[in-house]
Short mmCIF file of all heavy atoms in Angstrom, two decimals:
data_model
loop_
_atom_site.label_atom_id
_atom_site.label_comp_id
_atom_site.label_asym_id
_atom_site.label_seq_id
_atom_site.Cartn_x
_atom_site.Cartn_y
_atom_site.Cartn_z
N VAL B 562 14.04 19.92 -32.65
CA VAL B 562 13.64 18.66 -31.98
C VAL B 562 13.15 17.61 -32.98
O VAL B 562 13.46 16.42 -32.84
CB VAL B 562 12.54 18.94 -30.92
CG1 VAL B 562 11.88 17.65 -30.45
CG2 VAL B 562 13.14 19.70 -29.73
N MET B 563 12.40 18.06 -33.97
CA MET B 563 11.80 17.11 -34.90
C MET B 563 12.72 16.80 -36.09
O MET B 563 12.37 16.00 -36.96
CB MET B 563 10.44 17.61 -35.38
CG MET B 563 9.43 17.79 -34.26
SD MET B 563 9.13 16.30 -33.24
CE MET B 563 7.95 15.43 -34.29
N GLY B 564 13.87 17.42 -36.14
CA GLY B 564 14.82 17.21 -37.23
C GLY B 564 15.56 15.89 -37.10
O GLY B 564 15.26 15.07 -36.23
N PRO B 565 16.55 15.70 -37.99
CA PRO B 565 17.30 14.44 -38.01
C PRO B 565 17.95 14.13 -36.67
O PRO B 565 18.38 15.04 -35.96
CB PRO B 565 18.37 14.71 -39.08
CG PRO B 565 17.82 15.81 -39.93
CD PRO B 565 17.01 16.65 -38.99
N GLY B 566 17.97 12.84 -36.34
CA GLY B 566 18.55 12.41 -35.07
C GLY B 566 18.66 10.90 -35.03
O GLY B 566 18.66 10.25 -36.08
N THR B 567 18.70 10.34 -33.83
CA THR B 567 18.81 8.88 -33.72
C THR B 567 17.44 8.21 -33.79
O THR B 567 17.35 7.00 -33.98
CB THR B 567 19.51 8.48 -32.41
OG1 THR B 567 18.74 8.99 -31.31
CG2 THR B 567 20.92 9.07 -32.34
N LEU B 568 16.39 9.00 -33.59
CA LEU B 568 15.03 8.48 -33.81
C LEU B 568 14.57 9.00 -35.17
O LEU B 568 14.78 10.17 -35.48
CB LEU B 568 14.07 8.96 -32.72
CG LEU B 568 14.36 8.52 -31.29
CD1 LEU B 568 13.34 9.13 -30.33
CD2 LEU B 568 14.36 6.99 -31.16
N ASP B 569 13.94 8.14 -35.96
CA ASP B 569 13.51 8.59 -37.28
C ASP B 569 12.28 9.51 -37.15
O ASP B 569 11.56 9.48 -36.15
CB ASP B 569 13.20 7.39 -38.18
CG ASP B 569 12.02 6.61 -37.68
OD1 ASP B 569 12.23 5.74 -36.80
OD2 ASP B 569 10.88 6.87 -38.12
N PRO B 570 12.04 10.34 -38.18
CA PRO B 570 10.96 11.34 -38.13
C PRO B 570 9.58 10.75 -37.82
O PRO B 570 8.80 11.35 -37.08
CB PRO B 570 11.00 11.97 -39.53
CG PRO B 570 12.41 11.79 -39.97
CD PRO B 570 12.84 10.46 -39.41
N LEU B 571 9.27 9.59 -38.37
CA LEU B 571 7.95 9.02 -38.11
C LEU B 571 7.81 8.61 -36.64
O LEU B 571 6.77 8.84 -36.02
CB LEU B 571 7.69 7.80 -39.02
CG LEU B 571 6.34 7.10 -38.78
CD1 LEU B 571 5.17 8.08 -38.86
CD2 LEU B 571 6.15 5.97 -39.80
N THR B 572 8.86 8.01 -36.08
CA THR B 572 8.81 7.63 -34.66
C THR B 572 8.57 8.86 -33.80
O THR B 572 7.77 8.82 -32.85
CB THR B 572 10.12 6.94 -34.25
OG1 THR B 572 10.25 5.72 -35.00
CG2 THR B 572 10.14 6.61 -32.77
N LYS B 573 9.23 9.95 -34.14
CA LYS B 573 9.01 11.19 -33.37
C LYS B 573 7.56 11.66 -33.47
O LYS B 573 6.99 12.14 -32.49
CB LYS B 573 9.97 12.28 -33.86
CG LYS B 573 11.42 12.04 -33.45
CD LYS B 573 12.34 13.19 -33.90
CE LYS B 573 13.77 12.93 -33.45
NZ LYS B 573 14.70 14.02 -33.88
N GLU B 574 6.97 11.53 -34.65
CA GLU B 574 5.56 11.93 -34.81
C GLU B 574 4.63 11.04 -33.98
O GLU B 574 3.63 11.50 -33.42
CB GLU B 574 5.13 11.88 -36.28
CG GLU B 574 5.56 13.08 -37.10
CD GLU B 574 4.91 14.40 -36.67
OE1 GLU B 574 3.91 14.39 -35.97
OE2 GLU B 574 5.45 15.45 -37.05
N LEU B 575 4.94 9.74 -33.92
CA LEU B 575 4.10 8.83 -33.14
C LEU B 575 4.16 9.18 -31.66
O LEU B 575 3.15 9.14 -30.94
CB LEU B 575 4.54 7.38 -33.36
CG LEU B 575 4.47 6.87 -34.82
CD1 LEU B 575 4.90 5.40 -34.87
CD2 LEU B 575 3.09 7.05 -35.42
N ILE B 576 5.35 9.53 -31.19
CA ILE B 576 5.51 9.96 -29.80
C ILE B 576 4.74 11.26 -29.56
O ILE B 576 4.08 11.44 -28.54
CB ILE B 576 7.01 10.13 -29.47
CG1 ILE B 576 7.74 8.79 -29.54
CG2 ILE B 576 7.21 10.79 -28.11
CD1 ILE B 576 9.26 8.89 -29.58
N TYR B 577 4.81 12.15 -30.54
CA TYR B 577 4.10 13.44 -30.44
C TYR B 577 2.60 13.20 -30.34
O TYR B 577 1.90 13.84 -29.55
CB TYR B 577 4.41 14.29 -31.67
CG TYR B 577 4.57 15.77 -31.42
CD1 TYR B 577 5.80 16.39 -31.56
CD2 TYR B 577 3.49 16.57 -31.03
CE1 TYR B 577 5.96 17.75 -31.34
CE2 TYR B 577 3.64 17.93 -30.81
CZ TYR B 577 4.88 18.52 -30.97
OH TYR B 577 5.03 19.86 -30.74
N ILE B 578 2.09 12.29 -31.15
CA ILE B 578 0.65 11.95 -31.09
C ILE B 578 0.30 11.39 -29.71
O ILE B 578 -0.72 11.76 -29.12
CB ILE B 578 0.28 10.93 -32.19
CG1 ILE B 578 0.40 11.56 -33.58
CG2 ILE B 578 -1.15 10.39 -31.98
CD1 ILE B 578 0.23 10.57 -34.73
N ALA B 579 1.15 10.51 -29.21
CA ALA B 579 0.88 9.88 -27.91
C ALA B 579 0.74 10.93 -26.80
O ALA B 579 -0.18 10.87 -25.97
CB ALA B 579 1.99 8.88 -27.57
N VAL B 580 1.65 11.89 -26.78
CA VAL B 580 1.57 12.95 -25.78
C VAL B 580 0.32 13.81 -26.01
O VAL B 580 -0.43 14.11 -25.06
CB VAL B 580 2.83 13.85 -25.84
CG1 VAL B 580 2.69 15.06 -24.91
CG2 VAL B 580 4.08 13.05 -25.47
N SER B 581 0.06 14.16 -27.26
CA SER B 581 -1.06 15.04 -27.59
C SER B 581 -2.41 14.43 -27.21
O SER B 581 -3.30 15.12 -26.70
CB SER B 581 -1.06 15.35 -29.10
OG SER B 581 0.16 15.97 -29.48
N VAL B 582 -2.55 13.15 -27.48
CA VAL B 582 -3.79 12.45 -27.14
C VAL B 582 -3.96 12.39 -25.63
O VAL B 582 -5.05 12.64 -25.10
CB VAL B 582 -3.77 11.02 -27.73
CG1 VAL B 582 -4.86 10.16 -27.11
CG2 VAL B 582 -3.92 11.09 -29.25
N THR B 583 -2.88 12.09 -24.93
CA THR B 583 -2.97 11.97 -23.47
C THR B 583 -3.28 13.32 -22.84
O THR B 583 -3.96 13.40 -21.82
CB THR B 583 -1.67 11.38 -22.91
OG1 THR B 583 -1.35 10.21 -23.66
CG2 THR B 583 -1.82 11.00 -21.45
N ASN B 584 -2.80 14.39 -23.45
CA ASN B 584 -3.12 15.73 -22.96
C ASN B 584 -4.50 16.20 -23.44
O ASN B 584 -4.95 17.27 -23.06
CB ASN B 584 -2.06 16.74 -23.44
CG ASN B 584 -0.87 16.81 -22.51
OD1 ASN B 584 -1.00 16.64 -21.31
ND2 ASN B 584 0.31 17.06 -23.07
N GLY B 585 -5.16 15.40 -24.29
CA GLY B 585 -6.50 15.76 -24.73
C GLY B 585 -6.53 16.95 -25.67
O GLY B 585 -7.52 17.68 -25.72
N CYS B 586 -5.48 17.16 -26.45
CA CYS B 586 -5.42 18.32 -27.35
C CYS B 586 -6.02 17.99 -28.72
O CYS B 586 -5.41 17.27 -29.52
CB CYS B 586 -3.97 18.77 -27.51
SG CYS B 586 -3.80 20.23 -28.58
N GLU B 587 -7.22 18.53 -28.96
CA GLU B 587 -7.94 18.25 -30.20
C GLU B 587 -7.14 18.68 -31.43
O GLU B 587 -6.96 17.91 -32.38
CB GLU B 587 -9.28 18.98 -30.17
CG GLU B 587 -10.07 18.86 -31.47
CD GLU B 587 -11.38 19.64 -31.45
OE1 GLU B 587 -11.75 20.16 -30.36
OE2 GLU B 587 -12.02 19.77 -32.50
N TYR B 588 -6.67 19.93 -31.41
CA TYR B 588 -5.93 20.44 -32.56
C TYR B 588 -4.71 19.56 -32.85
O TYR B 588 -4.43 19.21 -34.01
CB TYR B 588 -5.49 21.89 -32.33
CG TYR B 588 -4.77 22.46 -33.53
CD1 TYR B 588 -5.49 23.02 -34.58
CD2 TYR B 588 -3.38 22.41 -33.65
CE1 TYR B 588 -4.86 23.51 -35.71
CE2 TYR B 588 -2.74 22.90 -34.77
CZ TYR B 588 -3.48 23.45 -35.80
OH TYR B 588 -2.86 23.92 -36.93
N CYS B 589 -4.00 19.22 -31.79
CA CYS B 589 -2.74 18.47 -31.93
C CYS B 589 -3.00 17.04 -32.41
O CYS B 589 -2.20 16.49 -33.17
CB CYS B 589 -1.99 18.46 -30.60
SG CYS B 589 -2.01 20.08 -29.76
N ALA B 590 -4.07 16.43 -31.96
CA ALA B 590 -4.40 15.09 -32.43
C ALA B 590 -4.61 15.11 -33.94
O ALA B 590 -4.12 14.24 -34.67
CB ALA B 590 -5.65 14.56 -31.71
#
Side-chain angles (χ1 to χ4, degrees):
Chain B
V562 167
M563 299 305 278
T567 59
L568 298 178
D569 66 275
L571 178 53
T572 296
K573 288 183 179 179
E574 280 295 343
L575 300 182
I576 294 165
Y577 218 112
I578 293 172
V580 173
S581 301
V582 165
T583 310
N584 274 328
C586 181
E587 175 182 352
Y588 183 85
C589 317

